[in-house]
């Protein structure tokens, strides 16, 4: 359904019974870069990893005309659009822009549920008296984001979260789409099955093999047929969505279940010193994110992807929760040496799970450690990084300048 192509779902459609907004920033990372560099306006801009194994994080609409899409290998993007401007991501800038945009949302309603840096659900049922009906609130939000942040966003207005998200997708770029409560099935049923949440490429292909090409086809299909195609739980979930039933409320408290980071090497690595350095940098990144979020976690996980794309995961649960890079690194390095993969490595990742609030969490000093120790040192490094930039605070400095080769288990191809 092309943007603006059907007046039944245009910005002036009946929005009574449509308290849910889904706001999605347009080509967010690329748009922030263009805002910083106005000379790039009108040119194709691609943000992502610039190495041979990099992936596109964001592409301006000028780049999308050449077929460039998010999650595409950067080398494929360069082949499609060699004249684009290619930039590495700057998450400090994107996070600052996201905070400013989310604050605009919260000026209209406290019921804001961020899904990522560039999108959120809003429940504006309680804001009608101050700001008017939902579509009017959506217009005000779009106007303020454009005027105050120099960015554009697309908004879906609907009775439920699922339909509102579909609406914002079909309003892009820089548009507004309203799905009236009485027309939800008219909107949903012509759409392809791949538009349903939870339907990836494999599931969509399985459904199409059964002749279920649209959401309407799926809605009319017997549940038994769906169960055979996608399993019991997914069949029920998709059947409900296909009939427009999504009872989930906007939840302003988003609780992280885990915090992690990973890196894909430009070339497969067998040198344990290089792997150790990568794990050290990842542990520092995860520790800093934990402290910023005010979280600690008890389970530390290691992810290793080998040259043949096999992925191995190992984890260890600590006696007490942690938010220090030193403890995270010591744990993942012990997991790695015990794993002894014996093959070249494509990717490593570090993750901390089982999160809880840091305030009041039990802490256990390492034997012989001073009363004020590693956590305080890392918190001081966080403050210095906030002022001068993370690049001046290297991972080794956070771990007391320890030789990263300590306890190295040398392996060679």
């Amino acid at each position: 359904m092309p943007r603006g192509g059907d007046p039944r779902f245009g910005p002036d459609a009946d929005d009574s019974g449509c308290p849910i907004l889904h706001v999605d920033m347009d080509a967010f990372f690329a748009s922030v870069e263009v805002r910083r560099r106005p000379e790039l306006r009108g040119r194709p801009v691609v943000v992502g990893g610039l190495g041979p194994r990099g992936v596109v994080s964001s592409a301006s609409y000028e780049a999308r005309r050449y077929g460039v899409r998010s999650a595409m290998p950067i080398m494929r993007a360069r082949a499609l659009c060699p004249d684009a401007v290619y930039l590495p991501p700057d998450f400090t800038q994107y996070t600052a822009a996201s905070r400013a945009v989310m604050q605009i949302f919260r000026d209209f309603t406290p019921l804001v549920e961020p899904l990522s840096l560039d999108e959120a659900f809003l429940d504006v049922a309680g804001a009608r008296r101050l700001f008017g009906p939902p579509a009017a609130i959506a217009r005000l939000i779009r106007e303020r984001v454009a005027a105050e942040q120099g960015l554009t966003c697309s908004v879906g207005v609907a009775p439920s979260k699922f339909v509102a998200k579909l609406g914002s997708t079909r309003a892009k770029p820089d548009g507004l789409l309203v799905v009236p409560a009485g027309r939800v099935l008219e909107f949903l049923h012509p759409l392809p099955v791949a538009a349903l949440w939870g339907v990836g490429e494999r599931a969509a292909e399985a459904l199409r093999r059964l002749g279920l090409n649209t959401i309407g086809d799926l809605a009319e299909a017997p549940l038994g047929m769906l169960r055979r195609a996608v399993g019991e739980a997914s069949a029920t979930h998709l059947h409900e969505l296909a009939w427009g039933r999504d009872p989930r409320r906007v939840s302003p408290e988003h609780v992280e279940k885990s915090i992690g980071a990973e890196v894909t090497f430009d070339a497969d690595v067998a040198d344990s010193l290089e792997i150790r350095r990568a794990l050290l940098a990842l542990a520092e990144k995860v520790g800093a994110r934990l402290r910023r979020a005010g979280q600690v976690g008890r389970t530390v996980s290691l992810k290793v992807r080998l040259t043949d794309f096999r992925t191995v995961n190992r984890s260890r649960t600590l006696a007490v929760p942690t938010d220090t890079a030193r403890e995270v690194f010591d744990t993942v390095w012990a997991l790695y040496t015990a794993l002894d993969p014996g093959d070249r490595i494509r990717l490593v990742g570090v993750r901390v799970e089982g999160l809880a609030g840091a305030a009041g969490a039990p802490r256990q000093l390492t034997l012989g450690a001073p009363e004020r120790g590693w956590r305080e040192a890392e918190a001081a490094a966080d403050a210095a990084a906030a002022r001068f930039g993370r690049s001046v605070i290297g991972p080794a400095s956070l771990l007391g300048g320890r030789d990263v080769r300590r306890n190295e288990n040398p392996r060679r191809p």
Side-chain angles (χ1 to χ4, degrees):
M1 185 178 304
R3 173 176 165 257
D6 191 330
R8 295 175 301 168
F9 310 111
D12 297 319
D14 178 13
D15 64 354
S16 58
C18 295
I20 308 300
L21 275 56
H22 180 259
V23 186
D24 197 355
M25 304 302 295
D26 296 324
F28 184 52
F29 296 174
S31 297
V32 173
E33 296 295 347
V34 171
R35 185 181 67 174
R36 295 169 66 190
R37 302 171 174 84
E39 69 275 10
L40 298 181
R41 193 171 304 281
R43 297 182 60 187
V45 175
V46 178
V47 176
L50 302 186
R53 288 180 174 168
V55 173
V56 174
S57 298
S58 178
S60 68
Y61 286 92
E62 292 82 0
R64 295 184 192 192
R65 295 191 190 111
Y66 292 86
V68 179
R69 296 289 184 269
S70 295
M72 173 182 287
I74 202 79
M75 300 305 289
R76 173 65 176 156
R78 288 186 184 277
L80 291 170
C81 191
D83 296 329
V85 178
Y86 289 85
L87 300 170
D90 184 342
F91 287 102
T92 300
Q93 290 291 328
Y94 309 150
T95 300
S98 175
R99 287 197 189 105
V101 167
M102 296 294 170
Q103 186 54 56
I104 291 173
F105 300 166
R106 293 186 178 98
D107 287 346
F108 290 90
T109 174
L111 299 179
V112 176
E113 180 182 346
L115 299 181
S116 62
L117 290 177
D118 61 347
E119 62 176 318
F121 287 115
L122 288 69
D123 185 334
V124 297
R128 296 177 65 104
R129 183 171 298 177
L130 281 177
F131 302 109
I137 294 172
R139 290 189 188 92
L140 290 172
I141 287 173
R142 283 169 29 78
E143 290 169 4
R144 281 194 56 186
V145 169
E148 297 175 22
Q149 296 301 313
L151 301 168
T152 65
C153 60
S154 299
V155 186
V157 182
S160 67
K161 294 168 77 171
F162 166 59
V163 178
K165 185 170 173 64
L166 284 179
S168 68
T169 299
R170 278 145 188 82
K172 283 185 169 293
D174 192 19
L176 167 61
L177 189 146
V178 176
V179 183
R183 294 186 179 271
V184 166
L185 297 185
E186 291 178 51
F187 174 75
L188 279 181
H189 283 186
L191 299 178
V193 289
L196 286 168
W197 272 350
V199 176
E201 291 183 10
R202 291 178 61 185
E205 182 57 35
L207 293 168
R208 283 193 291 265
R209 283 198 297 269
L210 296 173
L212 306 180
N213 296 301
T214 67
I215 294 178
D217 294 336
L218 189 147
E220 299 294 346
L223 266 174
M225 176 190 291
L226 296 181
R227 292 188 188 105
R228 288 191 294 274
V230 297
E232 176 75 37
S234 293
T236 302
H237 166 73
L238 296 179
H239 186 263
E240 290 296 295
L241 291 182
W243 284 104
R245 294 191 279 264
D246 178 15
R248 296 170 305 149
R249 296 184 177 182
V250 172
S251 174
E253 294 300 325
H254 175 69
V255 179
E256 293 269 16
K257 295 182 178 179
S258 66
I259 288 177
E262 59 186 41
V263 62
T264 300
F265 298 111
D266 287 342
D268 295 341
V269 173
D271 182 359
S272 60
L273 177 57
E274 186 171 352
I275 293 165
R276 186 177 173 90
R277 284 173 174 155
L279 291 173
L280 185 58
L282 293 172
E284 186 270 333
K285 185 179 292 186
V286 170
R289 285 187 60 196
L290 284 165
R291 292 188 295 277
R292 280 200 304 272
Q295 299 278 293
V296 292
R298 289 194 61 188
T299 301
V300 178
S301 299
L302 168 72
K303 175 181 178 180
V304 176
R305 180 164 297 153
L306 303 175
T307 189
D308 60 2
F309 287 90
R310 284 183 295 128
T311 301
V312 182
N313 295 282
R314 295 289 185 270
S315 64
R316 179 173 297 172
T317 299
L318 308 175
V320 294
T322 187
D323 60 2
T324 66
R326 183 194 189 197
E327 192 162 11
V328 171
F329 171 71
D330 285 345
T331 304
V332 294
W333 184 245
L335 290 168
Y336 180 82
T337 54
L339 177 63
D340 191 16
D343 200 353
R344 289 182 178 272
I345 290 173
R346 182 182 181 89
L347 171 151
V348 290
V350 174
R351 183 164 295 278
V352 174
E353 302 166 312
L355 303 186
R363 298 193 180 277
Q364 177 174 301
L365 288 173
T366 303
L367 184 63
E371 183 177 350
R372 294 181 61 81
W374 288 110
R375 187 178 191 282
E376 288 72 17
E378 293 184 24
D382 291 342
R387 185 172 180 183
F388 302 111
R390 180 63 61 178
S391 61
V392 302
I393 310 294
S397 70
L398 291 183
L399 301 187
R402 294 185 301 167
D403 184 349
V404 295
R405 291 169 293 187
R406 182 175 64 85
N407 294 333
E408 181 182 342
N409 177 19
R411 283 184 296 278
R412 294 292 182 265

